[in-house]
Amino acid sequence: MSAEPYRCRLDRELYEDLLSDPSVARTKKQLERLAEEGENASVRRQLLATSLRLTRGMSPQLASIADECIEKLGVEIPLETYVYASPHFNAACVKPENGRLFVMFSSSLLEAFDGPELRFVMGHELGHYLYGHHDIPIGPMLRGEAPPPPELALRLFAWSRYAEISADRAGAVCAQDDAAVARALFRLSSGLRGSAIKLRIEEFAAQVDEMQVEDAKTAIPRNTQDWFSTHPFSPLRVKALNVFSKSALAVDGGFDNDTLESRTQSLMALMEPNYLEGKDPIAETMRRFLFSAALSVASISGGVSDAERAAFEEFFGHDSMPDTLDSERLRSLLEERIDSVLESVPAPKRVQVLHDICVIARADDHIDEPERELIAHIAERLGISEPLMEVALSGDVELD
Ligand SMILES: [Zn+2]
């Protein structure tokens, strides 16, 4: 069997596009050089030192789950599984080393997830490997000393969300149990254990419908740290899998690939920064707000740096930044535009703009105290919670 047919089309397209990007290629080269020089400690050595390797004898259940997933997805590389002590539900797949692949689970996940839920998680992690997701060094790029230009950063974010969709599909193919898949995603996002969850996939996914309602009063749902991180919001993943489960890839007589991909894309559009081109009044309000917020943040501490100017002009076009900036006027304009946002822009989209403001502010590699304070003020006025703001500020990402 092969996992290739299940791969999300936009994952593949964005992946190819990113692989041919010069700065992606440059980062890859640097990492390879570091590895050759032995600068990066061996992954396996690290794992053996910090985690417990799960042999077949220790965990026959996990071993047979791995066997099934390997068979279903056509994994052709020896796999080693590890467990590490952590109260958080988490799993990850590490880039292969010396012809061996490593998947690790947190202890709490292994204890709380039942068989079909574990099959989903295992399939998801193997999917990351099979689709070559390790080929794009997104973590080092976004965390590196020279952050990528905003346009590239946003493409990296978009790609990684579609990469999660592909991995989810691989997981669903392994689990063959839609309810267990939804339960696993629910557990991962809520941290809840136990078998008491009477979860209906529709109820969880309904959170997405709420998001789609263009209602300025929409509260930001809790537990949405993955808004604007590399991961799609969990209910969105359930919804995307729901679409997948009705396609011909998952069921006889299901709808065709084009329908699957366009439905998936329209769901994911909820997380795309497409307001930069949008012609509707909400997009216009968001753009005007981004314009003055980005200007205010960039100029608040000792003038606008070249990197900030370049980042700004990537969003708004060549020569779009005014030559002289009257800081008082800028500030009052900003407050007015926040008012307009509060009147018409739904909560999730506000988070989106905040994220873009942070991308521009980070262009010169750091966010200093006055910038941080202004961003915190903007977040507070927009009703964006502190943890959510921290995620936007850090621009931190993990592909797990
Ligand atoms: Zn993942």
Side-chain angles (χ1 to χ4, degrees):
M1 294 275 283
S2 156
E4 200 48 38
Y6 310 119
R7 184 170 185 179
C8 180
R9 189 180 295 163
L10 268 171
D11 163 22
R12 192 185 297 117
E13 287 175 8
L14 288 164
Y15 165 91
E16 277 160 15
D17 174 59
L18 284 168
L19 273 187
S20 64
D21 188 285
S23 49
V24 174
R26 213 176 311 124
T27 309
K28 280 178 69 108
K29 275 237 165 61
Q30 281 166 356
L31 290 170
E32 276 160 25
R33 206 174 314 127
L34 283 176
E36 277 164 24
E37 290 164 1
E39 289 290 320
N40 290 344
S42 144
V43 170
R44 185 163 195 267
R45 204 192 160 283
Q46 271 181 358
L47 279 169
L48 288 169
T50 57
S51 316
L52 177 70
R53 189 177 160 206
L54 288 169
T55 60
R56 192 168 287 273
M58 266 181 224
S59 179
Q61 189 212 11
L62 194 67
S64 76
I65 284 174
D67 291 343
E68 288 169 43
C69 297
I70 284 167
E71 166 75 29
K72 274 223 162 76
L73 300 174
V75 177
E76 286 169 353
I77 180 172
L79 171 72
E80 290 184 3
T81 51
Y82 289 81
V83 59
Y84 61 97
S86 168
H88 304 291
F89 294 156
N90 219 336
C93 179
V94 183
K95 190 176 176 167
E97 205 178 73
N98 299 322
R100 260 183 297 211
L101 181 65
F102 311 101
V103 173
M104 51 186 150
F105 301 89
S106 68
S107 51
S108 54
L109 185 146
L110 275 188
E111 281 174 349
F113 282 43
D114 67 18
E117 292 165 8
L118 281 176
R119 280 209 298 271
F120 169 73
V121 176
M122 178 74 85
H124 176 103
E125 298 307 333
L126 295 176
H128 278 311
Y129 159 71
L130 290 166
Y131 299 134
H133 291 159
H134 297 117
D135 296 347
I136 313 265
I138 182 164
M141 288 196 76
L142 292 169
R143 275 195 307 261
E145 277 165 26
E151 182 278 328
L152 177 59
L154 293 176
R155 256 192 300 148
L156 284 165
F157 280 116
W159 164 70
S160 70
R161 291 192 295 267
Y162 283 105
E164 291 304 321
I165 296 294
S166 294
D168 278 350
R169 289 183 187 174
V173 166
C174 290
Q176 293 292 320
D177 182 340
D178 291 348
V181 167
R183 225 161 45 225
L185 283 169
F186 181 77
R187 283 195 206 285
L188 284 165
S189 75
S190 68
L192 286 174
R193 53 179 69 235
S195 52
I197 310 170
K198 287 215 178 62
L199 176 78
R200 300 240 319 263
I201 196 166
E202 304 82 35
E203 286 169 18
F204 190 38
Q207 225 173 313
V208 173
D209 299 329
E210 283 172 40
M211 270 159 50
Q212 279 168 321
V213 175
E214 298 281 294
D215 177 0
K217 290 185 288 289
T218 313
I220 296 172
R222 289 186 194 286
N223 250 316
T224 51
Q225 299 233 351
D226 45 9
W227 259 124
F228 264 102
S229 68
T230 48
H231 283 50
F233 185 48
S234 298
L236 207 52
R237 291 169 69 180
V238 172
K239 198 108 178 165
L241 280 174
N242 212 352
V243 173
F244 175 70
S245 72
K246 294 185 181 118
S247 75
L249 285 173
V251 65
D252 286 338
F255 48 71
D256 62 21
N257 251 0
D258 285 340
T259 311
L260 166 66
E261 296 298 343
S262 65
R263 287 192 189 178
T264 305
Q265 225 170 306
S266 72
L267 276 175
M268 298 292 281
L270 279 173
M271 301 194 72
E272 309 280 330
N274 50 6
Y275 68 92
L276 290 172
E277 284 103 43
K279 296 205 170 25
D280 56 297
I282 288 180
E284 173 73 25
T285 305
M286 289 166 77
R287 270 199 303 272
R288 291 165 67 90
F289 165 59
L290 176 67
F291 185 86
S292 58
L295 264 186
S296 305
V297 171
S299 64
I300 198 164
S301 52
V304 182
S305 69
D306 288 347
E308 281 170 331
R309 177 179 294 271
F312 185 89
E313 295 192 342
E314 276 215 44
F315 274 92
F316 298 106
H318 190 58
D319 279 341
S320 54
M321 184 175 270
D323 287 332
T324 50
L325 300 168
D326 172 347
S327 56
E328 259 174 55
R329 172 82 191 103
L330 257 180
R331 189 55 192 256
S332 67
L333 201 62
L334 175 63
E335 299 300 326
E336 279 169 33
R337 291 186 176 171
I338 291 177
D339 291 335
S340 318
V341 166
L342 289 172
E343 273 166 32
S344 64
V345 178
K349 287 185 185 286
R350 295 177 204 164
V351 183
Q352 198 173 330
V353 194
L354 186 78
H355 177 86
D356 291 343
I357 294 169
C358 294
V359 168
I360 297 179
R362 259 200 321 273
D364 58 356
D365 202 19
H366 68 283
I367 295 184
D368 58 28
E369 208 38 49
E371 290 176 335
R372 208 191 145 79
E373 275 169 25
L374 182 56
I375 291 172
H377 165 77
I378 294 171
E380 196 191 336
R381 283 218 55 208
L382 294 177
I384 294 168
S385 71
E386 215 177 309
L388 219 47
M389 180 194 77
E390 290 298 333
V391 171
L393 273 174
S394 69
D396 207 8
V397 289
E398 289 301 335
L399 201 68
D400 59 13

